[in-house]
Amino acid sequence: MHSGGHGTVVEEHFQPRVETAWQPSRIDGLDLARAIALMGMVLVNYKAYMQVGTLSPLWLNSLVDFIFGRAATVFVILAGISVTLIFRRTGSPGSGNGFRRYLLRRGILLLAAGSCLWHWWAADVLHFYALYIALGAFLVAWPERRLWLLTIVIALISLPVCAQLTVIYDFGDHLAGLDGRAWGLRLAADYLVSNYYPVFPWFGYFLVGLLLGRREPVNRSFHWRLLLTGLIICTIVETISAGVLTWLDQQDVEVQGHWGLAFLRSEAFPVTPLFVISSGAGGLAVIGLCRLAAAWVGRSPFVFPLYCFGKLSLTLYVGHLLWAFGFVFGIEALGGHVGQIEMFASVGVFCLAGIGFAMVWCRYFKRGPLETLFYRIAHLEWNRPRPMVTLPEA
């Protein structure tokens, strides 16, 4: 891929891979990663939405707090991988415009669904995914060097921006003050200064996914490198953060409010600089682990239900929020209160019911309900024959 004389970017065309009986049309390891990430997201979202507070015992509370934000990191990286694989499946050189139209339509659908959920759940991720996927429609064909450069720039901008958000944690109040203003203004502000999944740094994770998708197909040694490198970096960052903060606390040094000391904390909401590194490395480790696990166990009856669960991740993401809304409303209508037991019971019931539903659905359909609806609307091919898939779906 190169630049033309007038500065226009010529798209890079990837070599399509021919599908064989040993290379199924979906990558099970990615579906497994989606399932693990979705279960983590269900857990942390229910804890936040149901306002359970500190869990008991404290180690359990620390574990759940550690998961906050990291499940979404895995999803954003996977979204970038998916965009690259979809682009590679288009195959023909003249398919770039059709590919962009497909992703832009899909982004609009995600934005519509996310905006509805955003009205009740401020931490919705779908409207952020909509932006990242729409941008990915134009960036996926960039040269790899340019993508790496953009990723590095996003990371370098994110570190001081995240430190400032950590110290001056009042942007959420400013966003609340935009209620009643134009929807587009509130959306733009949410993309830039939200306490949840703003462009800096979350779009950087998406770009990492775009780059990872170019490596497919990859061997197990690459997955081992992802797992070990990610795990080592995440462990080092979290150990340094915990150790230094403990030492500062013993010295009676106040961390809150100091811009420089904000670089020592690893927290998701609002995101801190160390979390950017730790969560990104942890997300790569999870993906590497899931790819290795899927290659090792294959389609074992013990793991296959999780593949189905991950395959319906969009449908189940929307479903888990609707279930939470209804569960809390029902408990409160009966005069009850949602505590730790009720929260974990709700998580367990949803995950088990979701796995059961996904297994039955996948027996008869290729995609989940919302996945099918979005796919067909984005392709506008309700009755048109589908092209042969030459690369695995993400």
Side-chain angles (χ1 to χ4, degrees), residues 59-101:
W59 65 263
L60 179 60
N61 188 75
S62 299
L63 176 62
V64 175
D65 285 347
F66 180 79
I67 299 174
F68 267 92
R70 298 175 191 271
T73 300
V74 175
F75 268 123
V76 174
I77 295 175
L78 290 172
I81 295 174
S82 298
V83 167
T84 297
L85 292 181
I86 294 171
F87 178 71
R88 293 172 63 182
R89 286 206 312 275
T90 59
S92 61
S95 59
N97 290 332
F99 163 79
R100 291 192 185 94
R101 285 195 298 270

Short mmCIF file of all heavy atoms in Angstrom, two decimals, residues 59-101:
data_model
loop_
_atom_site.label_atom_id
_atom_site.label_comp_id
_atom_site.label_asym_id
_atom_site.label_seq_id
_atom_site.Cartn_x
_atom_site.Cartn_y
_atom_site.Cartn_z
N TRP A 59 -11.54 -9.63 49.50
CA TRP A 59 -10.80 -10.09 48.33
C TRP A 59 -11.73 -10.23 47.13
O TRP A 59 -11.32 -9.99 45.98
CB TRP A 59 -10.11 -11.44 48.61
CG TRP A 59 -11.04 -12.60 48.86
CD1 TRP A 59 -11.45 -13.08 50.06
CD2 TRP A 59 -11.69 -13.40 47.86
NE1 TRP A 59 -12.31 -14.13 49.89
CE2 TRP A 59 -12.47 -14.36 48.55
CE3 TRP A 59 -11.68 -13.41 46.47
CZ2 TRP A 59 -13.24 -15.30 47.88
CZ3 TRP A 59 -12.45 -14.35 45.80
CH2 TRP A 59 -13.21 -15.29 46.50
N LEU A 60 -13.00 -10.59 47.37
CA LEU A 60 -13.97 -10.68 46.29
C LEU A 60 -14.27 -9.30 45.74
O LEU A 60 -14.38 -9.11 44.51
CB LEU A 60 -15.25 -11.35 46.79
CG LEU A 60 -16.39 -11.51 45.78
CD1 LEU A 60 -15.94 -12.35 44.59
CD2 LEU A 60 -17.62 -12.12 46.44
N ASN A 61 -14.41 -8.33 46.61
CA ASN A 61 -14.64 -6.95 46.17
C ASN A 61 -13.46 -6.45 45.34
O ASN A 61 -13.64 -5.80 44.30
CB ASN A 61 -14.85 -6.05 47.38
CG ASN A 61 -15.28 -4.65 46.99
OD1 ASN A 61 -16.42 -4.42 46.60
ND2 ASN A 61 -14.35 -3.70 47.08
N SER A 62 -12.23 -6.76 45.79
CA SER A 62 -11.04 -6.34 45.04
C SER A 62 -10.99 -7.00 43.67
O SER A 62 -10.62 -6.37 42.67
CB SER A 62 -9.77 -6.69 45.83
OG SER A 62 -9.75 -6.02 47.07
N LEU A 63 -11.38 -8.28 43.59
CA LEU A 63 -11.38 -8.98 42.32
C LEU A 63 -12.37 -8.37 41.34
O LEU A 63 -12.05 -8.13 40.17
CB LEU A 63 -11.71 -10.46 42.55
CG LEU A 63 -11.84 -11.32 41.28
CD1 LEU A 63 -10.52 -11.36 40.53
CD2 LEU A 63 -12.29 -12.74 41.64
N VAL A 64 -13.59 -8.08 41.82
CA VAL A 64 -14.61 -7.49 40.94
C VAL A 64 -14.18 -6.09 40.52
O VAL A 64 -14.34 -5.71 39.34
CB VAL A 64 -15.98 -7.46 41.66
CG1 VAL A 64 -17.00 -6.73 40.80
CG2 VAL A 64 -16.45 -8.88 41.95
N ASP A 65 -13.62 -5.32 41.45
CA ASP A 65 -13.15 -3.99 41.09
C ASP A 65 -12.04 -4.05 40.05
O ASP A 65 -11.93 -3.18 39.19
CB ASP A 65 -12.66 -3.24 42.33
CG ASP A 65 -13.80 -2.76 43.21
OD1 ASP A 65 -14.96 -2.78 42.74
OD2 ASP A 65 -13.53 -2.37 44.37
N PHE A 66 -11.20 -5.09 40.13
CA PHE A 66 -10.12 -5.24 39.16
C PHE A 66 -10.67 -5.48 37.76
O PHE A 66 -10.07 -5.06 36.76
CB PHE A 66 -9.22 -6.40 39.57
CG PHE A 66 -8.06 -6.64 38.64
CD1 PHE A 66 -6.92 -5.85 38.71
CD2 PHE A 66 -8.11 -7.66 37.70
CE1 PHE A 66 -5.86 -6.07 37.84
CE2 PHE A 66 -7.05 -7.88 36.83
CZ PHE A 66 -5.92 -7.09 36.91
N ILE A 67 -11.81 -6.16 37.67
CA ILE A 67 -12.41 -6.47 36.36
C ILE A 67 -13.02 -5.24 35.71
O ILE A 67 -13.16 -5.17 34.49
CB ILE A 67 -13.46 -7.58 36.52
CG1 ILE A 67 -12.80 -8.85 37.07
CG2 ILE A 67 -14.14 -7.91 35.20
CD1 ILE A 67 -13.78 -9.96 37.40
N PHE A 68 -13.39 -4.24 36.50
CA PHE A 68 -14.03 -3.05 35.95
C PHE A 68 -13.22 -2.47 34.80
O PHE A 68 -12.03 -2.19 34.94
CB PHE A 68 -14.19 -1.97 37.04
CG PHE A 68 -15.51 -2.02 37.75
CD1 PHE A 68 -15.66 -2.74 38.91
CD2 PHE A 68 -16.60 -1.34 37.24
CE1 PHE A 68 -16.88 -2.79 39.57
CE2 PHE A 68 -17.83 -1.38 37.88
CZ PHE A 68 -17.97 -2.10 39.06
N GLY A 69 -13.85 -2.28 33.67
CA GLY A 69 -13.21 -1.67 32.52
C GLY A 69 -12.41 -2.64 31.66
O GLY A 69 -12.23 -2.41 30.46
N ARG A 70 -11.93 -3.73 32.25
CA ARG A 70 -11.06 -4.64 31.51
C ARG A 70 -11.85 -5.52 30.55
O ARG A 70 -11.33 -5.88 29.48
CB ARG A 70 -10.24 -5.49 32.49
CG ARG A 70 -9.33 -4.63 33.35
CD ARG A 70 -8.60 -5.42 34.42
NE ARG A 70 -7.97 -4.52 35.36
CZ ARG A 70 -6.74 -4.02 35.22
NH1 ARG A 70 -6.02 -4.37 34.18
NH2 ARG A 70 -6.24 -3.19 36.12
N ALA A 71 -13.06 -5.88 30.92
CA ALA A 71 -13.90 -6.65 29.99
C ALA A 71 -14.18 -5.85 28.73
O ALA A 71 -14.13 -6.38 27.61
CB ALA A 71 -15.20 -7.06 30.67
N ALA A 72 -14.46 -4.55 28.90
CA ALA A 72 -14.71 -3.70 27.74
C ALA A 72 -13.47 -3.56 26.88
O ALA A 72 -13.56 -3.45 25.65
CB ALA A 72 -15.20 -2.33 28.21
N THR A 73 -12.29 -3.56 27.50
CA THR A 73 -11.05 -3.50 26.74
C THR A 73 -10.94 -4.68 25.79
O THR A 73 -10.58 -4.53 24.61
CB THR A 73 -9.83 -3.48 27.69
OG1 THR A 73 -9.91 -2.34 28.54
CG2 THR A 73 -8.53 -3.42 26.90
N VAL A 74 -11.25 -5.88 26.29
CA VAL A 74 -11.22 -7.07 25.45
C VAL A 74 -12.19 -6.92 24.29
O VAL A 74 -11.86 -7.23 23.13
CB VAL A 74 -11.54 -8.33 26.28
CG1 VAL A 74 -11.62 -9.56 25.37
CG2 VAL A 74 -10.50 -8.54 27.37
N PHE A 75 -13.39 -6.43 24.56
CA PHE A 75 -14.39 -6.27 23.52
C PHE A 75 -13.92 -5.28 22.44
O PHE A 75 -14.13 -5.51 21.25
CB PHE A 75 -15.71 -5.77 24.11
CG PHE A 75 -16.65 -6.89 24.48
CD1 PHE A 75 -17.12 -7.01 25.77
CD2 PHE A 75 -17.06 -7.81 23.54
CE1 PHE A 75 -17.98 -8.04 26.12
CE2 PHE A 75 -17.93 -8.84 23.87
CZ PHE A 75 -18.38 -8.95 25.17
N VAL A 76 -13.30 -4.18 22.85
CA VAL A 76 -12.86 -3.17 21.88
C VAL A 76 -11.74 -3.74 21.01
O VAL A 76 -11.72 -3.52 19.78
CB VAL A 76 -12.42 -1.89 22.60
CG1 VAL A 76 -11.82 -0.90 21.61
CG2 VAL A 76 -13.60 -1.24 23.32
N ILE A 77 -10.80 -4.46 21.61
CA ILE A 77 -9.74 -5.08 20.82
C ILE A 77 -10.34 -6.09 19.83
O ILE A 77 -9.96 -6.14 18.65
CB ILE A 77 -8.71 -5.77 21.73
CG1 ILE A 77 -7.99 -4.73 22.60
CG2 ILE A 77 -7.68 -6.54 20.90
CD1 ILE A 77 -7.05 -5.33 23.62
N LEU A 78 -11.28 -6.89 20.31
CA LEU A 78 -11.93 -7.87 19.43
C LEU A 78 -12.69 -7.19 18.30
O LEU A 78 -12.73 -7.71 17.18
CB LEU A 78 -12.88 -8.75 20.25
CG LEU A 78 -12.23 -9.73 21.22
CD1 LEU A 78 -13.30 -10.39 22.09
CD2 LEU A 78 -11.43 -10.79 20.48
N ALA A 79 -13.28 -6.04 18.58
CA ALA A 79 -13.98 -5.30 17.52
C ALA A 79 -13.01 -4.89 16.43
O ALA A 79 -13.32 -4.98 15.23
CB ALA A 79 -14.67 -4.07 18.11
N GLY A 80 -11.81 -4.45 16.81
CA GLY A 80 -10.81 -4.10 15.81
C GLY A 80 -10.37 -5.30 14.99
O GLY A 80 -10.23 -5.21 13.75
N ILE A 81 -10.17 -6.44 15.65
CA ILE A 81 -9.82 -7.66 14.92
C ILE A 81 -10.92 -8.01 13.93
O ILE A 81 -10.65 -8.38 12.77
CB ILE A 81 -9.58 -8.82 15.91
CG1 ILE A 81 -8.37 -8.53 16.79
CG2 ILE A 81 -9.39 -10.14 15.16
CD1 ILE A 81 -8.15 -9.56 17.90
N SER A 82 -12.17 -7.92 14.35
CA SER A 82 -13.30 -8.28 13.49
C SER A 82 -13.35 -7.40 12.25
O SER A 82 -13.60 -7.88 11.14
CB SER A 82 -14.61 -8.16 14.27
OG SER A 82 -14.63 -9.05 15.36
N VAL A 83 -13.13 -6.10 12.43
CA VAL A 83 -13.18 -5.18 11.29
C VAL A 83 -12.13 -5.56 10.25
O VAL A 83 -12.39 -5.58 9.05
CB VAL A 83 -12.99 -3.72 11.77
CG1 VAL A 83 -12.74 -2.79 10.59
CG2 VAL A 83 -14.23 -3.25 12.54
N THR A 84 -10.92 -5.86 10.71
CA THR A 84 -9.87 -6.26 9.77
C THR A 84 -10.22 -7.55 9.05
O THR A 84 -10.04 -7.67 7.82
CB THR A 84 -8.53 -6.43 10.50
OG1 THR A 84 -8.13 -5.18 11.05
CG2 THR A 84 -7.44 -6.90 9.55
N LEU A 85 -10.75 -8.54 9.78
CA LEU A 85 -11.10 -9.81 9.14
C LEU A 85 -12.24 -9.63 8.14
O LEU A 85 -12.25 -10.26 7.07
CB LEU A 85 -11.47 -10.85 10.20
CG LEU A 85 -10.31 -11.32 11.10
CD1 LEU A 85 -10.81 -12.36 12.08
CD2 LEU A 85 -9.18 -11.87 10.27
N ILE A 86 -13.20 -8.79 8.47
CA ILE A 86 -14.30 -8.52 7.52
C ILE A 86 -13.75 -7.87 6.26
O ILE A 86 -14.13 -8.21 5.14
CB ILE A 86 -15.37 -7.62 8.18
CG1 ILE A 86 -16.07 -8.37 9.32
CG2 ILE A 86 -16.40 -7.19 7.14
CD1 ILE A 86 -16.98 -7.47 10.15
N PHE A 87 -12.83 -6.94 6.44
CA PHE A 87 -12.22 -6.26 5.29
C PHE A 87 -11.46 -7.26 4.41
O PHE A 87 -11.54 -7.22 3.18
CB PHE A 87 -11.28 -5.17 5.78
CG PHE A 87 -10.57 -4.43 4.67
CD1 PHE A 87 -11.26 -3.58 3.84
CD2 PHE A 87 -9.21 -4.61 4.46
CE1 PHE A 87 -10.61 -2.90 2.82
CE2 PHE A 87 -8.55 -3.94 3.45
CZ PHE A 87 -9.26 -3.09 2.63
N ARG A 88 -10.77 -8.18 5.04
CA ARG A 88 -10.01 -9.17 4.28
C ARG A 88 -10.94 -10.13 3.56
O ARG A 88 -10.60 -10.64 2.48
CB ARG A 88 -9.07 -9.94 5.22
CG ARG A 88 -7.97 -9.08 5.78
CD ARG A 88 -7.19 -9.82 6.84
NE ARG A 88 -6.52 -10.99 6.30
CZ ARG A 88 -5.80 -11.84 7.03
NH1 ARG A 88 -5.71 -11.65 8.35
NH2 ARG A 88 -5.21 -12.87 6.48
N ARG A 89 -12.12 -10.40 4.11
CA ARG A 89 -13.05 -11.32 3.45
C ARG A 89 -13.68 -10.72 2.21
O ARG A 89 -14.23 -11.45 1.39
CB ARG A 89 -14.16 -11.73 4.43
CG ARG A 89 -13.73 -12.71 5.49
CD ARG A 89 -14.92 -13.53 5.97
NE ARG A 89 -16.08 -12.72 6.29
CZ ARG A 89 -16.30 -12.13 7.45
NH1 ARG A 89 -15.39 -12.23 8.41
NH2 ARG A 89 -17.38 -11.42 7.67
N THR A 90 -13.65 -9.39 2.07
CA THR A 90 -14.25 -8.78 0.88
C THR A 90 -13.49 -9.19 -0.37
O THR A 90 -14.07 -9.27 -1.45
CB THR A 90 -14.28 -7.25 1.01
OG1 THR A 90 -12.95 -6.76 1.18
CG2 THR A 90 -15.13 -6.83 2.19
N GLY A 91 -12.17 -9.41 -0.20
CA GLY A 91 -11.41 -10.05 -1.28
C GLY A 91 -11.09 -9.17 -2.47
O GLY A 91 -9.94 -8.88 -2.74
N SER A 92 -12.10 -8.71 -3.24
CA SER A 92 -11.85 -8.04 -4.50
C SER A 92 -11.39 -6.60 -4.29
O SER A 92 -11.82 -5.93 -3.36
CB SER A 92 -13.14 -8.03 -5.34
OG SER A 92 -14.16 -7.34 -4.67
N PRO A 93 -10.51 -6.07 -5.17
CA PRO A 93 -10.00 -4.72 -5.00
C PRO A 93 -11.07 -3.66 -5.05
O PRO A 93 -10.92 -2.60 -4.45
CB PRO A 93 -9.02 -4.57 -6.18
CG PRO A 93 -8.65 -5.98 -6.55
CD PRO A 93 -9.87 -6.79 -6.28
N GLY A 94 -12.16 -3.90 -5.75
CA GLY A 94 -13.18 -2.87 -5.88
C GLY A 94 -14.23 -2.89 -4.79
O GLY A 94 -15.26 -2.23 -4.90
N SER A 95 -14.00 -3.68 -3.75
CA SER A 95 -15.03 -3.86 -2.73
C SER A 95 -14.90 -2.89 -1.57
O SER A 95 -15.64 -2.98 -0.61
CB SER A 95 -14.98 -5.29 -2.19
OG SER A 95 -13.69 -5.56 -1.63
N GLY A 96 -13.91 -1.97 -1.62
CA GLY A 96 -13.67 -1.08 -0.49
C GLY A 96 -14.86 -0.21 -0.14
O GLY A 96 -15.21 -0.05 1.03
N ASN A 97 -15.51 0.38 -1.17
CA ASN A 97 -16.65 1.26 -0.89
C ASN A 97 -17.81 0.50 -0.29
O ASN A 97 -18.48 0.98 0.62
CB ASN A 97 -17.08 1.97 -2.18
CG ASN A 97 -16.06 2.99 -2.64
OD1 ASN A 97 -15.31 3.55 -1.82
ND2 ASN A 97 -16.00 3.23 -3.94
N GLY A 98 -18.08 -0.71 -0.81
CA GLY A 98 -19.15 -1.52 -0.24
C GLY A 98 -18.86 -1.91 1.20
O GLY A 98 -19.76 -1.93 2.04
N PHE A 99 -17.59 -2.19 1.48
CA PHE A 99 -17.18 -2.52 2.84
C PHE A 99 -17.43 -1.34 3.78
O PHE A 99 -17.94 -1.50 4.89
CB PHE A 99 -15.70 -2.92 2.84
CG PHE A 99 -15.06 -2.90 4.19
CD1 PHE A 99 -15.24 -3.95 5.08
CD2 PHE A 99 -14.26 -1.82 4.58
CE1 PHE A 99 -14.64 -3.94 6.32
CE2 PHE A 99 -13.67 -1.80 5.82
CZ PHE A 99 -13.85 -2.86 6.69
N ARG A 100 -17.06 -0.14 3.33
CA ARG A 100 -17.27 1.04 4.17
C ARG A 100 -18.75 1.29 4.41
O ARG A 100 -19.16 1.64 5.52
CB ARG A 100 -16.62 2.27 3.53
CG ARG A 100 -15.11 2.22 3.52
CD ARG A 100 -14.51 3.57 3.15
NE ARG A 100 -13.08 3.46 3.03
CZ ARG A 100 -12.43 3.25 1.90
NH1 ARG A 100 -13.12 3.12 0.76
NH2 ARG A 100 -11.12 3.16 1.85
N ARG A 101 -19.54 1.14 3.37
CA ARG A 101 -20.99 1.34 3.54
C ARG A 101 -21.55 0.35 4.56
O ARG A 101 -22.38 0.71 5.39
CB ARG A 101 -21.71 1.19 2.20
CG ARG A 101 -21.54 2.38 1.27
CD ARG A 101 -22.55 2.32 0.14
NE ARG A 101 -22.38 1.14 -0.69
CZ ARG A 101 -21.59 1.07 -1.76
NH1 ARG A 101 -20.90 2.14 -2.13
NH2 ARG A 101 -21.50 -0.03 -2.47
#
